[in-house]
Amino acid sequence: MRLTTAQALVAWLIAQRSETVDGREVALFPAVFAIFGHGNVLGLGTALHERRAELPVWRGHTEQGMALAAVGYAKAVHRRQVGVVTSSIGPGATNMATAAGVAHANRLPLLLLPGDTFVGRAPDPVLQQVEHFGDATATANDVLRPVSRYFDRITRPEQLMATLPQVAAVLTDPAATGPVTLALPQDVQVETFDFPDDLFAPVRHLVPRPRADTGELAAATAILRASRRPLLILGGGVRYADAGAVALEFAERHDMPVAETTAGRTLVPHGHRLYAGPLGVTGSASANELAGAADTVLAVGTRLQDFTTASWSVFAPDVAIVTVNTARFDAVKHGATAVVGDAAVTLPQLSPSGWRADPEWTARTARLRADWDARVDELRAPRAEVTYAQVVGVVNESSGPHDYVMTASGGLPGELVGGWRATGGPPTMDVEYGFSCMGYELAGAWGAAMARTDGVVTTLLGDGSYLMLNSELFSAAFAGHGFVAVVCDNDGYAVIARLQQGQGGAPFNNFYADCRTVHAAPPRVDFAAHARALGCAAVTVSGIDEFRDGYAWARATAVAESRPSVVVVRTAAHGWTETGAWWEVGVPQHLCGRSEQEAGKAAQLRLLRR
């Protein structure tokens, strides 16, 4: 088939198929997000236009926002489908680096197709070209190398035949998945080649389920059999392997308490007798206390990030750690006894016959969880100011088993991860706390709303995240994808102010009251008016009862009108759900102008927290 490089790439994208969790065949690449500019409009843009009936193209308003929407899409479908994003050659390409970092940190597939400069170099330097004085091969796209699992620059059309199988392998491999970047020089995009027909034959990509080594299984089984106080930790890998039911059956067989990581949230029904709660800094005091007393931890499908491990302070110093992970890179961390394999097929093989946890240990789980539930109930109770915990409570109580809730940065991950009560069924939460990307909340919700056909998508965010990246509200409104955005306005970056002041720093440049301005009465943002100007339905509410009514209205409106509905609520600047967990941050050993007494108090505070 004589095609341009761009036409061949589009034809290949269309031919790739995937399988959903429930066994349906779907497109591996269900959508392309595009902002056209020089470098992609005539080559790839023309090819996409020719096949637009087979491969939908959605117009976004920032390259970062589009790529975050693609990440949100992939998370919502458990990595079974992959969003594609294309940009022009300069700032459009570099704008995607943040989203690539999100996908890389969270092990989520994403295909980036930035335009690039001319391979032939005849017109150099071209518009938006960054010229590296010592490297003529470097372009703006090279900024994507550190945040790509696989990177290639296509300098000849026939190179597609070698690179496209590698692209598919990375995007569909649970151990290697992440962002893939194919840089497309604009002259090469429009060059033709006689491509073999079989490059475009339909291919159905199934999720590989690697089996564990028998020696690794034997070593891990021996550790478990000797344990009396084990704790099972479920991460995002359990979700993507569709292994939640297998993991719970494993826990029940061995009377083993279960905790979740941020990425593993909503895998376990809240009322399950073995559920200890979410683990770590943004988790629960119940799971953290159990983790500190456990003699063995079985961590499945998690990379054990610092917020999960409380900077490695949550476990006893002599705890035995066993990991199950498809990626050896993650499995071997911190001297763990590693079992490399898929969670769904490995857990049954790891099950020691006749072994059960100490009954008193299991009973302790229920007592601690009951205490944590009572604490959350207390935090959700009415009070003078609306708090994040109350907002999460209302959304939780109003949500059904097919609804989907999201957040990403600031204080809301702690409230959502720690306080949410899952009803069971498929996982229904996306907390992007691997990269903690402000702005993901709105862009990612667009992608999730596009992917999910059942239930309502609700995203919770602060005023800071709203102001950082809100343009994809208009993209979603224009495209016709409805979701609910709850904007909690507390006048600044409250959670960072908390960190700053909690470690002895002076309030500075986080709350608006502590920021530089020439105005005696600085302007305030009318978030509801702004959202309406972007094509959304919006309302501002005051008090938790008004919020409850406003949220109900927003849910109904998002569904009925197929556009985002925004609820703005003034929330308390202080007041958080505390888990008692430590988090390691860089605290100055010396501050100019601080007295010896103040420095001593700060040092004491750090020791006490640790």
Side-chain angles (χ1 to χ4, degrees), residues 21 78-80 174 207-209 235-244 246 300 326 341-345:
V21 171
H78 298 190
R79 303 195 305 202
R80 302 300 176 95
V207 176
R209 296 192 180 276
V238 177
R239 169 182 181 157
Y240 303 133
D242 191 31
V246 173
V300 185
T326 55
D342 175 83
V345 297

Side-chain angles (χ1 to χ4, degrees), residues 192-220:
T192 58
F193 182 76
D194 291 331
F195 290 94
D197 292 351
D198 60 7
L199 181 64
F200 313 115
V203 177
R204 187 171 184 172
H205 299 273
L206 303 178
V207 176
R209 296 192 180 276
R211 267 58 175 173
D213 175 78
T214 55
E216 291 182 348
L217 284 168

Side-chain angles (χ1 to χ4, degrees), residues 255-324:
D255 262 354
M256 191 174 186
V258 187
E260 297 169 320
T261 72
T262 297
R265 277 301 265 122
T266 67
L267 281 165
V268 184
H270 183 77
H272 195 283
R273 69 181 181 86
L274 295 172
Y275 185 47
L279 184 68
V281 178
T282 55
S284 61
S286 52
N288 290 342
E289 185 171 332
L290 275 180
D295 59 17
T296 303
V297 163
L298 174 57
V300 185
T302 171
R303 63 195 182 104
L304 294 174
Q305 184 220 29
D306 69 336
F307 259 65
T308 296
T309 66
S311 298
W312 288 94
S313 69
V314 76
F315 303 126
D318 58 347
V319 69
I321 299 178
V322 177
T323 57
V324 175

Side-chain angles (χ1 to χ4, degrees), residues 370-447:
D371 291 344
W372 179 250
D373 286 349
R375 175 62 179 149
V376 172
D377 287 339
E378 180 185 335
L379 292 168
R380 289 182 175 185
R383 58 197 69 234
E385 290 183 289
V386 177
T387 64
Y388 278 180
Q390 288 177 304
V391 168
V392 168
V394 169
V395 174
N396 197 171
E397 292 160 7
S398 305
S399 296
H402 298 291
D403 293 333
Y404 194 73
V405 64
M406 306 175 63
T407 193
S409 60
L412 280 163
E415 307 302 319
L416 194 60
V417 172
W420 191 265
R421 294 168 178 174
T423 57
T428 52
M429 182 183 290
D430 175 5
V431 176
E432 195 294 286
Y433 224 45
F435 212 55
S436 185
C437 181
M438 294 179 70
Y440 175 78
E441 298 96 331
L442 294 175
W446 178 28

Side-chain angles (χ1 to χ4, degrees), residues 580-606:
W582 165 259
W583 184 40
E584 183 72 51
V585 293
V587 180
Q589 293 185 344
H590 173 73
L591 292 176
C592 293
R594 178 182 274 187
S595 70
E596 286 187 20
Q597 186 179 16
E598 290 172 322
K601 284 182 178 178
Q604 242 183 355
L605 177 64
R606 287 199 296 274

Side-chain angles (χ1 to χ4, degrees), residues 525-542:
V525 178
D526 186 335
F527 292 101
H530 184 269
R532 283 192 288 268
L534 292 177
C536 304
V539 64
T540 300
V541 299
S542 177

Side-chain angles (χ1 to χ4, degrees), residues 13 16-17 77 109 118 149 180 202 204 313 335 377 381 431 493 533 589:
L13 291 172
Q16 308 311 299
R17 311 297 293 170
V77 296
F118 286 80
R149 291 282 188 195
V180 169
R204 187 171 184 172
S313 69
D377 287 339
V431 176
Y493 301 141
Q589 293 185 344

